[in-house]
Amino acid sequence: MRALYQAADRIEAQLLHDLLDRHLIRTVILGDALSGAAGELPLDLYPTLWLIDDDDRERAEAVLARFLREGLGGHPTPAWTCPRCGERVEAGFALCWNCATPYPE
């Protein structure tokens, strides 16, 4: 098992965990419960995605790189309807807020 990505918060960690799971890449989130101790612990309290199978590292890094590139404005998205769950997603979001399905290419 190896650390793959340190998320900004629990929500980002869960979205990325779900996204990787849809690509059949198994991860676990560690450290997400430590944020309740912020101010009391001199630790880096951000949740971290850990890769279960080291053989998935290249694919996982590619999926994350694509997400981060699109999420940072590399390819802005219009408002769209999720093809999986039918929810309306506001412009600029590359993942469905309800089920974490990526924007359809």
Side-chain angles (χ1 to χ4, degrees):
M1 213 166 74
R2 76 177 333 168
L4 178 65
Y5 180 80
Q6 189 174 53
D9 54 37
R10 295 179 79 170
I11 295 170
E12 181 187 31
Q14 188 64 52
L15 281 172
L16 294 175
H17 170 77
D18 292 345
L19 174 64
L20 290 166
D21 185 58
R22 292 192 197 311
H23 286 85
L24 304 176
I25 300 170
R26 296 180 337 146
T27 60
V28 63
I29 301 169
L30 299 178
D32 64 331
L34 294 175
S35 61
E40 301 294 325
L41 297 174
L43 299 174
D44 192 357
L45 300 175
Y46 298 106
T48 303
L49 281 171
W50 286 76
L51 192 59
I52 300 292
D53 186 351
D54 287 345
D55 292 339
D56 290 333
R57 184 182 57 81
E58 270 188 50
R59 283 190 319 118
E61 287 175 350
V63 169
L64 288 178
R66 179 176 172 212
F67 169 80
L68 294 172
R69 183 176 60 249
E70 291 175 1
L72 295 174
H75 301 291
T77 61
W80 53 286
T81 301
C82 177
R84 181 166 185 240
C85 70
E87 289 295 325
R88 181 86 173 138
V89 181
E90 296 296 323
F93 291 95
L95 289 178
C96 174
W97 65 269
N98 185 50
C99 69
T101 296
Y103 176 77
E105 299 273 337

